[in-house]
Amino acid sequence: MRKGQNRFVVGFLLVPVALYLIFVIWPYIQTFGYSLTDWKGQSQTFAFIGLDNYTALFEDDIFLQAIWHNILFLVFIPVITILLALFFAFMLNAGGRGRAGGVSGVAGSGFYKIVYFFPQVLSLAILAVLFGAVYRSDSGGMLNGLLMKLGLVDESAPIEWLNEPNMVLWALILVVVWHGVGFYLVLFSAAMQAIPRDIYEAALIDGAGRAHTFFRITLPLLWDSVQTAWVYLGIAAMDMFILVSTMTAGEYGGGPDHHSEVMATVMMRNFLLYGRSGYACAMGVVMLLLTLIVSVVMLRATRRERVEF
C-alpha cells in the first residue's frame, strides 16, 4: 500500500516539478552562465571571462548608487505601508466602542474598506500615468495646482516633484504606499476578524485603552500576517522597475542624473541599450542574491513565538 502511495505521489509531482525546473530554475542557471561571459546579446559567440563582470559591477558608481536607492525603498516602503495598514485595519475592525456588541469597527467600516482597497485594482502602468499627472511640474499638475491656489507656490516657479534630486525618491515612495496600503489593510482586517471579540471585551473591562489593546492583543495575534507583508513589500522594494522607468526622466528612467536609479533600471539599460548583456546578467544575479538575503533576513528578524488563542 505504501509503495503504491509513493508511486502516486511521484507521478503527481513529476510534471509540475519538471515544468518548474525548465521554466524557473534553468533560466537562473543560464543567467549565471551568461554573467561569466562577454555576451553582447545579439551574437551567438561569446568568450568566458570569469568574474570580470562582477568585479566591474562593484566598481560601477551608478549601480552602487542604485543599490543604495533600493535600500532606502527597502527601509521606508514596508515600514510606512505596514504601519498605515495596521492603523486603518485596527480602526475599521476594533476602533469603535459605542455599540451594543462591545467592540466593533468605526461606523461605515465596510465602505471604507472598499475605498482603501480601490487603488489595488489599478495596474502599475495606470498608476504611473495617474501620478504622472499628479506630479506635473506646471499648474496642470494636481499638487502644483493645489499649492498655487493656496498661494504656497509661485506660478512662475512650480515644484519639479520628479526632477528634484531630493524629492524624486519620496515621490515614488508615496505612490507605492498609496497603492499598497489598501491590500494590506484587507489582509490585516481578515486576520483581525478571526480574533475572538471576547478577548477585546475582557481587555476593555480591565480598563485597557486603544493603544494598549493594539500592542498587547492585536499586534501579537497578527504577527504572522505582518511578517508575510514585510517580506512581500521588501521584494517589491528591491524591484521598482515599472514606476521608475515610467515616471522618471531618462532611458528606462533613473533621472534626474541617476538620482532615482534602481538596480532593475541599470540592468535593463545595459542589456537593451548598451549591448552589455553579460554584464547585465551579472546584475541580475546580484539582484537575485540580494532579494533572497533580504527575504531570509526579514523572516529571521521578524520571527517570534506563535501566539495562539
Side-chain angles (χ1 to χ4, degrees):
M1 182 67 181
R2 186 173 182 80
K3 187 175 181 181
Q5 287 179 342
N6 291 338
R7 288 178 179 176
F8 173 77
V9 171
V10 171
F12 186 79
L13 294 178
L14 185 61
V15 174
V17 171
L19 291 174
Y20 184 80
L21 291 174
I22 293 171
F23 293 106
V24 178
I25 301 301
W26 179 242
Y28 284 132
I29 296 174
Q30 280 187 308
T31 300
F32 178 70
Y34 285 133
S35 72
L36 303 176
T37 69
D38 62 351
W39 183 41
K40 303 300 181 185
Q42 300 296 326
S43 65
Q44 296 299 318
T45 59
F46 42 82
F48 178 80
I49 59 173
L51 299 177
D52 288 356
N53 283 328
Y54 293 94
T55 302
L57 198 62
F58 290 99
E59 295 175 354
D60 187 337
D61 291 337
I62 295 176
F63 185 70
L64 294 177
Q65 186 179 15
I67 292 177
W68 172 244
H69 294 158
N70 277 112
I71 291 173
L72 291 177
F73 288 138
L74 183 63
V75 171
F76 289 103
I77 289 175
V79 171
I80 298 173
T81 304
I82 290 173
L83 287 178
L84 288 176
L86 280 173
F87 172 76
F88 290 135
F90 182 74
M91 294 304 297
L92 294 181
N93 289 277
R97 295 186 179 181
R99 300 182 182 180
V103 174
S104 63
V106 297
S109 59
F111 172 75
Y112 291 136
K113 289 178 184 178
I114 296 174
V115 172
Y116 283 129
F117 189 77
F118 178 73
Q120 192 64 35
V121 306
L122 302 176
S123 70
L124 288 176
I126 295 174
L127 203 66
V129 174
L130 175 65
F131 273 88
V134 171
Y135 289 138
R136 273 181 54 178
S137 56
D138 55 28
S139 59
M142 190 189 79
L143 283 179
N144 274 318
L146 178 62
L147 293 174
M148 289 175 185
K149 292 291 185 182
L150 296 175
L152 301 176
V153 172
D154 192 278
E155 293 187 10
S156 61
I159 300 175
E160 299 277 351
W161 300 101
L162 296 175
N163 290 313
E164 286 286 341
N166 296 326
M167 290 185 179
V168 61
L169 292 180
W170 294 107
L172 293 170
I173 288 173
L174 176 63
V175 177
V176 179
V177 171
W178 183 84
H179 181 251
V181 164
F183 175 81
Y184 293 102
L185 180 151
V186 172
L187 177 68
F188 298 149
S189 293
M192 286 181 189
Q193 288 170 4
I195 300 174
R197 289 286 183 252
D198 295 346
I199 299 177
Y200 285 116
E201 291 171 4
L204 293 179
I205 292 173
D206 290 339
R210 276 191 173 89
H212 195 268
T213 302
F214 175 79
F215 286 107
R216 293 293 186 178
I217 298 175
T218 305
L219 187 58
L221 294 176
L222 257 64
W223 195 255
D224 288 345
S225 298
V226 172
Q227 185 184 53
T228 301
W230 207 290
V231 172
Y232 276 109
L233 286 166
I235 293 172
M238 295 298 289
D239 182 11
M240 293 292 294
F241 173 74
I242 295 178
L243 288 181
V244 174
S245 63
T246 306
M247 295 182 64
T248 59
E251 291 283 355
Y252 297 100
D257 194 24
H258 304 295
H259 279 86
S260 64
E261 206 77 73
V262 292
M263 290 183 287
T265 57
V266 180
M267 180 185 71
M268 293 302 294
R269 194 178 300 114
N270 277 274
F271 190 87
L272 297 176
L273 292 181
Y274 303 156
R276 304 177 66 189
S277 301
Y279 187 57
C281 287
M283 293 183 184
V285 172
V286 172
M287 286 179 60
L288 172 63
L289 292 176
L290 290 177
T291 303
L292 290 175
I293 292 171
V294 165
S295 299
V296 171
V297 168
M298 285 187 169
L299 287 172
R300 293 280 185 179
T302 57
R303 186 174 60 181
R304 57 185 297 175
E305 292 184 6
R306 185 180 181 87
V307 179
E308 297 182 354
F309 51 85

